[in-house]
Amino acid sequence: MSNMITAYCMKTKEKNVPMQDANITKTSRGGYMAQGHDGKGNKMTTMLSEANALKAVADGVAKKGW
């Protein structure tokens, strides 16, 4: 994970779309979920590992939501 969190966009069927304004939250099962948008108005959500979630917060790519 270099600069941005990337995810699959269900609406446009594109892979590795950079997520903007990402907000990372913890799920009830102990996982991490990033929610944001692709810059074109399409909402995006992806699951992350704990290491990737904490790295994104530390790098300033995403906001911590817990």
Side-chain angles (χ1 to χ4, degrees):
M1 198 156 76
S2 58
N3 288 336
M4 302 284 281
I5 297 173
T6 58
Y8 178 75
C9 184
M10 296 287 288
K11 188 172 184 179
T12 61
K13 307 288 191 247
E14 295 178 67
K15 294 181 181 179
N16 298 323
V17 178
M19 186 182 294
Q20 299 177 3
D21 298 332
N23 185 22
I24 297 179
T25 56
K26 282 187 179 180
T27 64
S28 61
R29 297 179 67 189
Y32 291 85
M33 182 171 60
Q35 295 177 320
H37 62 86
D38 66 352
K40 300 174 189 170
N42 301 318
K43 293 181 182 178
M44 300 174 71
T45 302
T46 189
M47 296 299 293
L48 300 170
S49 67
E50 182 178 11
N52 286 341
L54 297 177
K55 184 177 184 320
V57 171
D59 290 345
V61 174
K63 292 183 281 185
K64 189 176 181 181
W66 70 91

